[in-house]
Amino acid sequence: MNISTQIEVLPGIQAEEIDRSRLPLSQAYTLPPSAYTSDEVYEREIDRIMRRSWLPLARVDQLPKPGDYLSFDVFDQPLLVVHGQDGQIRTLSRVCLHRAAPIVDGGGNRKLFTCPYHAWSYDTTGQLIRAPMMEEAAGFTEKNCRLPQIKTEIWNGFIMINLDKDAQPFAPQVAGFERYFENIDLSQMVVARTMEFDSDWNWKVLVENFMEAYHHIATHSGTLEPIFHAQDSQVPDNDGPWSILHMPTAAGEEVSPDLFANVIFPHFLIAFHGETLTWYQVFPRSSGKLLLKIHICLPRKAMEEATFEETAQAACELTQTIHMEDIEANDLVWKGLQAPFTTQGRLAPLEKSIWQLNQWWLDKMLVEDGSAEARS
Ligand code: FES
Ligand SMILES: [Fe+2]
C-alpha cells in the first residue's frame, strides 16, 4: 500500500507516524495520540470499523425463554434482541415504523411490544400486528410492516451482530482462534454476574490494556505478576481479526490454570481462566468515553453445585480488584495521550498483541471506502 497517498484519510495523523506503527514488531511504535483522542478519527472508526464489524450483543443464556428480550444502543442504532415465540433469536431495530420512537427499553419478557407513543404493536419477530385507527390510511396494511432485522450469528453462545447487511459470516473469520481453544466449551457458559463501569478513555486504551501482560510488572505487581509473569507471556501469530495472549502459570503455582486474554477485533474481549470466562463487553460512546460491562460466566453445570454463588462472588471480587488496578493505569494513559507534547511510544516486544491490533486497525482505517476489504 502506498502510504503517502493515504495521508489525508486519517485526520491529524501524518504518513511518517503511520509508517512507524507499520514497522515489524521489534521496531514498531504505538499508534499516534490522535488515533485515540481525535473526534474525526472516532467518526471514521464508526464508519470503517464499528458499523462493519461483528460485535457481541448478549449471550443466549441471557434470553432462555420465548419472549425474553434485551435492549441496546449500538452506535446510535437502538436494538432489540429477542427470543421469538418461534424459538429463533433475532436482533431488530427497535425504532417504531410510525414516527421513530423506540418501542421498548431495558429487558424482560413479552409477547408484544407496544410503542409508548401511539400504541403500534409488534410481535417477537418484528412484525407489526396492530396500528390503531389506521383504517383510512390509503393502502396501509400492518402485514407489510416489519422492523428491520440486523445480521445476527450465534457463536459459542454469544449473540454476534453486524450492522452491515452485506457482512461476511463471522465464524470462518475466527476459525483459527477457535482451533486454539478446542478443549473449552464456551457454549455451555452462563452469565453469573455483571458489573458496569463508565470510563473516560478511548476504547482502544481499554482494549490494549486488556491484551498485554507487560504491565503486570508494575500495575499488577502484587496480584497477577506473582502468578502470571509478564516475561513468560506469549502471543501466537494470528490469521484473522483476533489476538491471543497466553499467560502460563509461574512454576510453583501449578494450582492455578493458565490465563488467556483474548481479543476479537475490534473490542470483543474474553479471558479464559480454568472454568471461568470473563467477558468485557465494550460500548464506545465517544472518542473519550465508554461503557464497560464485565460479565463473569461459569459453566451451566456449576449452577447445580451448592458452591455456585460463592464461586461467582469470588470470581467477581477478583476481577474487580484487577480492574481497579487497570482503571488507575488507563486513567494515567488517557491523561498523557491528551497532552500536546505526547508522541508515539516504542512498543515492547511483549506487546505483540497490540501490534496485531494496530495492523488490523490501520488496514481498516486506510482502505478505500466501498472496497471489498472494507467488509468484515
Ligand atoms: S411512534 Fe410508535 S406508534 Fe407512533
Ligand atoms: Fe491489567
PDB file of all heavy atoms in Angstrom, residues 96 98-104 113-122 132:
ATOM      1  N   CYS A  96     -39.718   2.536  16.114  1.00  0.00           N
ATOM      2  CA  CYS A  96     -41.071   2.351  15.595  1.00  0.00           C
ATOM      3  C   CYS A  96     -41.164   2.784  14.136  1.00  0.00           C
ATOM      4  O   CYS A  96     -40.571   3.783  13.722  1.00  0.00           O
ATOM      5  CB  CYS A  96     -42.045   3.153  16.455  1.00  0.00           C
ATOM      6  SG  CYS A  96     -43.751   2.886  15.996  1.00  0.00           S
ATOM      7  N   HIS A  98     -43.693   3.983  12.764  1.00  0.00           N
ATOM      8  CA  HIS A  98     -44.585   5.117  12.605  1.00  0.00           C
ATOM      9  C   HIS A  98     -43.794   6.421  12.633  1.00  0.00           C
ATOM     10  O   HIS A  98     -43.411   6.938  11.599  1.00  0.00           O
ATOM     11  CB  HIS A  98     -45.691   5.069  13.688  1.00  0.00           C
ATOM     12  CG  HIS A  98     -46.578   6.263  13.670  1.00  0.00           C
ATOM     13  ND1 HIS A  98     -46.990   6.888  14.826  1.00  0.00           N
ATOM     14  CD2 HIS A  98     -47.117   6.952  12.645  1.00  0.00           C
ATOM     15  CE1 HIS A  98     -47.755   7.921  14.498  1.00  0.00           C
ATOM     16  NE2 HIS A  98     -47.853   7.968  13.184  1.00  0.00           N
ATOM     17  N   ARG A  99     -43.482   6.928  13.830  1.00  0.00           N
ATOM     18  CA  ARG A  99     -42.742   8.191  13.883  1.00  0.00           C
ATOM     19  C   ARG A  99     -41.496   8.082  14.740  1.00  0.00           C
ATOM     20  O   ARG A  99     -41.102   9.014  15.437  1.00  0.00           O
ATOM     21  CB  ARG A  99     -43.658   9.328  14.299  1.00  0.00           C
ATOM     22  CG  ARG A  99     -44.414   9.870  13.054  1.00  0.00           C
ATOM     23  CD  ARG A  99     -45.390  10.977  13.349  1.00  0.00           C
ATOM     24  NE  ARG A  99     -44.881  11.964  14.257  1.00  0.00           N
ATOM     25  CZ  ARG A  99     -45.614  12.533  15.238  1.00  0.00           C
ATOM     26  NH1 ARG A  99     -46.879  12.204  15.401  1.00  0.00           N
ATOM     27  NH2 ARG A  99     -45.080  13.416  16.042  1.00  0.00           N
ATOM     28  N   ALA A 100     -40.881   6.879  14.659  1.00  0.00           N
ATOM     29  CA  ALA A 100     -39.490   6.691  15.090  1.00  0.00           C
ATOM     30  C   ALA A 100     -39.233   6.671  16.595  1.00  0.00           C
ATOM     31  O   ALA A 100     -38.084   6.757  17.015  1.00  0.00           O
ATOM     32  CB  ALA A 100     -38.566   7.709  14.423  1.00  0.00           C
ATOM     33  N   ALA A 101     -40.230   6.515  17.420  1.00  0.00           N
ATOM     34  CA  ALA A 101     -39.935   6.361  18.850  1.00  0.00           C
ATOM     35  C   ALA A 101     -39.431   4.940  19.093  1.00  0.00           C
ATOM     36  O   ALA A 101     -39.983   3.987  18.527  1.00  0.00           O
ATOM     37  CB  ALA A 101     -41.201   6.602  19.669  1.00  0.00           C
ATOM     38  N   PRO A 102     -38.396   4.768  19.914  1.00  0.00           N
ATOM     39  CA  PRO A 102     -38.036   3.398  20.297  1.00  0.00           C
ATOM     40  C   PRO A 102     -39.212   2.734  21.013  1.00  0.00           C
ATOM     41  O   PRO A 102     -39.852   3.351  21.861  1.00  0.00           O
ATOM     42  CB  PRO A 102     -36.830   3.590  21.218  1.00  0.00           C
ATOM     43  CG  PRO A 102     -36.224   4.892  20.754  1.00  0.00           C
ATOM     44  CD  PRO A 102     -37.420   5.751  20.404  1.00  0.00           C
ATOM     45  N   ILE A 103     -39.519   1.508  20.648  1.00  0.00           N
ATOM     46  CA  ILE A 103     -40.754   0.862  21.124  1.00  0.00           C
ATOM     47  C   ILE A 103     -40.605   0.270  22.524  1.00  0.00           C
ATOM     48  O   ILE A 103     -41.606  -0.038  23.164  1.00  0.00           O
ATOM     49  CB  ILE A 103     -41.224  -0.242  20.152  1.00  0.00           C
ATOM     50  CG1 ILE A 103     -40.128  -1.291  19.925  1.00  0.00           C
ATOM     51  CG2 ILE A 103     -41.653   0.381  18.826  1.00  0.00           C
ATOM     52  CD1 ILE A 103     -40.609  -2.524  19.186  1.00  0.00           C
ATOM     53  N   VAL A 104     -39.377   0.090  22.992  1.00  0.00           N
ATOM     54  CA  VAL A 104     -39.172  -0.558  24.288  1.00  0.00           C
ATOM     55  C   VAL A 104     -37.796  -0.188  24.799  1.00  0.00           C
ATOM     56  O   VAL A 104     -36.934   0.267  24.039  1.00  0.00           O
ATOM     57  CB  VAL A 104     -39.338  -2.103  24.133  1.00  0.00           C
ATOM     58  CG1 VAL A 104     -38.182  -2.694  23.348  1.00  0.00           C
ATOM     59  CG2 VAL A 104     -39.500  -2.801  25.476  1.00  0.00           C
ATOM     60  N   PHE A 113     -44.671  -6.003  21.691  1.00  0.00           N
ATOM     61  CA  PHE A 113     -44.008  -4.755  22.037  1.00  0.00           C
ATOM     62  C   PHE A 113     -44.889  -3.619  21.537  1.00  0.00           C
ATOM     63  O   PHE A 113     -45.099  -3.488  20.325  1.00  0.00           O
ATOM     64  CB  PHE A 113     -42.627  -4.697  21.377  1.00  0.00           C
ATOM     65  CG  PHE A 113     -41.705  -5.781  21.869  1.00  0.00           C
ATOM     66  CD1 PHE A 113     -41.622  -6.996  21.201  1.00  0.00           C
ATOM     67  CD2 PHE A 113     -40.956  -5.598  23.027  1.00  0.00           C
ATOM     68  CE1 PHE A 113     -40.801  -8.010  21.671  1.00  0.00           C
ATOM     69  CE2 PHE A 113     -40.128  -6.603  23.499  1.00  0.00           C
ATOM     70  CZ  PHE A 113     -40.052  -7.813  22.819  1.00  0.00           C
ATOM     71  N   THR A 114     -45.413  -2.841  22.469  1.00  0.00           N
ATOM     72  CA  THR A 114     -46.345  -1.779  22.095  1.00  0.00           C
ATOM     73  C   THR A 114     -45.655  -0.429  22.260  1.00  0.00           C
ATOM     74  O   THR A 114     -45.179  -0.095  23.357  1.00  0.00           O
ATOM     75  CB  THR A 114     -47.613  -1.848  22.965  1.00  0.00           C
ATOM     76  OG1 THR A 114     -48.205  -3.136  22.757  1.00  0.00           O
ATOM     77  CG2 THR A 114     -48.615  -0.772  22.569  1.00  0.00           C
ATOM     78  N   CYS A 115     -45.587   0.313  21.185  1.00  0.00           N
ATOM     79  CA  CYS A 115     -44.896   1.605  21.202  1.00  0.00           C
ATOM     80  C   CYS A 115     -45.574   2.548  22.189  1.00  0.00           C
ATOM     81  O   CYS A 115     -46.807   2.677  22.181  1.00  0.00           O
ATOM     82  CB  CYS A 115     -44.895   2.198  19.795  1.00  0.00           C
ATOM     83  SG  CYS A 115     -44.096   3.817  19.728  1.00  0.00           S
ATOM     84  N   PRO A 116     -44.798   3.226  23.031  1.00  0.00           N
ATOM     85  CA  PRO A 116     -45.401   4.113  24.037  1.00  0.00           C
ATOM     86  C   PRO A 116     -46.028   5.374  23.427  1.00  0.00           C
ATOM     87  O   PRO A 116     -46.754   6.080  24.124  1.00  0.00           O
ATOM     88  CB  PRO A 116     -44.224   4.474  24.947  1.00  0.00           C
ATOM     89  CG  PRO A 116     -43.005   4.264  24.128  1.00  0.00           C
ATOM     90  CD  PRO A 116     -43.328   3.173  23.143  1.00  0.00           C
ATOM     91  N   TYR A 117     -45.768   5.652  22.138  1.00  0.00           N
ATOM     92  CA  TYR A 117     -46.230   6.932  21.581  1.00  0.00           C
ATOM     93  C   TYR A 117     -47.671   6.831  21.049  1.00  0.00           C
ATOM     94  O   TYR A 117     -48.557   7.553  21.481  1.00  0.00           O
ATOM     95  CB  TYR A 117     -45.243   7.378  20.491  1.00  0.00           C
ATOM     96  CG  TYR A 117     -45.247   8.858  20.177  1.00  0.00           C
ATOM     97  CD1 TYR A 117     -44.366   9.371  19.225  1.00  0.00           C
ATOM     98  CD2 TYR A 117     -46.110   9.747  20.811  1.00  0.00           C
ATOM     99  CE1 TYR A 117     -44.347  10.717  18.918  1.00  0.00           C
ATOM    100  CE2 TYR A 117     -46.105  11.100  20.506  1.00  0.00           C
ATOM    101  CZ  TYR A 117     -45.229  11.585  19.572  1.00  0.00           C
ATOM    102  OH  TYR A 117     -45.203  12.921  19.254  1.00  0.00           O
ATOM    103  N   HIS A 118     -47.947   5.906  20.091  1.00  0.00           N
ATOM    104  CA  HIS A 118     -49.314   5.775  19.560  1.00  0.00           C
ATOM    105  C   HIS A 118     -49.777   4.324  19.555  1.00  0.00           C
ATOM    106  O   HIS A 118     -50.686   3.959  18.824  1.00  0.00           O
ATOM    107  CB  HIS A 118     -49.406   6.337  18.137  1.00  0.00           C
ATOM    108  CG  HIS A 118     -48.783   7.681  17.972  1.00  0.00           C
ATOM    109  ND1 HIS A 118     -47.455   7.842  17.608  1.00  0.00           N
ATOM    110  CD2 HIS A 118     -49.273   8.937  18.147  1.00  0.00           C
ATOM    111  CE1 HIS A 118     -47.161   9.138  17.550  1.00  0.00           C
ATOM    112  NE2 HIS A 118     -48.246   9.831  17.880  1.00  0.00           N
ATOM    113  N   ALA A 119     -49.071   3.506  20.327  1.00  0.00           N
ATOM    114  CA  ALA A 119     -49.528   2.132  20.602  1.00  0.00           C
ATOM    115  C   ALA A 119     -49.539   1.191  19.403  1.00  0.00           C
ATOM    116  O   ALA A 119     -50.333   0.258  19.356  1.00  0.00           O
ATOM    117  CB  ALA A 119     -50.912   2.170  21.279  1.00  0.00           C
ATOM    118  N   TRP A 120     -48.663   1.403  18.448  1.00  0.00           N
ATOM    119  CA  TRP A 120     -48.488   0.360  17.431  1.00  0.00           C
ATOM    120  C   TRP A 120     -47.821  -0.838  18.127  1.00  0.00           C
ATOM    121  O   TRP A 120     -46.879  -0.659  18.924  1.00  0.00           O
ATOM    122  CB  TRP A 120     -47.600   0.850  16.290  1.00  0.00           C
ATOM    123  CG  TRP A 120     -48.269   1.839  15.360  1.00  0.00           C
ATOM    124  CD1 TRP A 120     -49.298   2.675  15.648  1.00  0.00           C
ATOM    125  CD2 TRP A 120     -47.911   2.079  13.992  1.00  0.00           C
ATOM    126  NE1 TRP A 120     -49.620   3.434  14.558  1.00  0.00           N
ATOM    127  CE2 TRP A 120     -48.780   3.086  13.512  1.00  0.00           C
ATOM    128  CE3 TRP A 120     -46.945   1.557  13.119  1.00  0.00           C
ATOM    129  CZ2 TRP A 120     -48.711   3.564  12.193  1.00  0.00           C
ATOM    130  CZ3 TRP A 120     -46.878   2.043  11.814  1.00  0.00           C
ATOM    131  CH2 TRP A 120     -47.754   3.035  11.358  1.00  0.00           C
ATOM    132  N   SER A 121     -48.294  -2.052  17.793  1.00  0.00           N
ATOM    133  CA  SER A 121     -47.784  -3.249  18.478  1.00  0.00           C
ATOM    134  C   SER A 121     -47.096  -4.200  17.509  1.00  0.00           C
ATOM    135  O   SER A 121     -47.606  -4.464  16.414  1.00  0.00           O
ATOM    136  CB  SER A 121     -48.935  -4.005  19.144  1.00  0.00           C
ATOM    137  OG  SER A 121     -49.498  -3.212  20.148  1.00  0.00           O
ATOM    138  N   TYR A 122     -45.970  -4.702  17.969  1.00  0.00           N
ATOM    139  CA  TYR A 122     -45.167  -5.622  17.153  1.00  0.00           C
ATOM    140  C   TYR A 122     -45.012  -6.945  17.875  1.00  0.00           C
ATOM    141  O   TYR A 122     -44.920  -6.972  19.110  1.00  0.00           O
ATOM    142  CB  TYR A 122     -43.761  -5.037  16.935  1.00  0.00           C
ATOM    143  CG  TYR A 122     -43.767  -3.677  16.280  1.00  0.00           C
ATOM    144  CD1 TYR A 122     -43.955  -2.519  17.046  1.00  0.00           C
ATOM    145  CD2 TYR A 122     -43.578  -3.541  14.915  1.00  0.00           C
ATOM    146  CE1 TYR A 122     -43.953  -1.264  16.448  1.00  0.00           C
ATOM    147  CE2 TYR A 122     -43.578  -2.284  14.309  1.00  0.00           C
ATOM    148  CZ  TYR A 122     -43.763  -1.144  15.084  1.00  0.00           C
ATOM    149  OH  TYR A 122     -43.775   0.084  14.491  1.00  0.00           O
ATOM    150  N   PRO A 132     -53.474   1.255  15.687  1.00  0.00           N
ATOM    151  CA  PRO A 132     -54.824   1.763  15.944  1.00  0.00           C
ATOM    152  C   PRO A 132     -55.227   2.898  14.990  1.00  0.00           C
ATOM    153  O   PRO A 132     -54.390   3.741  14.654  1.00  0.00           O
ATOM    154  CB  PRO A 132     -54.747   2.301  17.384  1.00  0.00           C
ATOM    155  CG  PRO A 132     -53.528   1.687  17.964  1.00  0.00           C
ATOM    156  CD  PRO A 132     -52.594   1.410  16.848  1.00  0.00           C
TER     157      PRO A 132
END
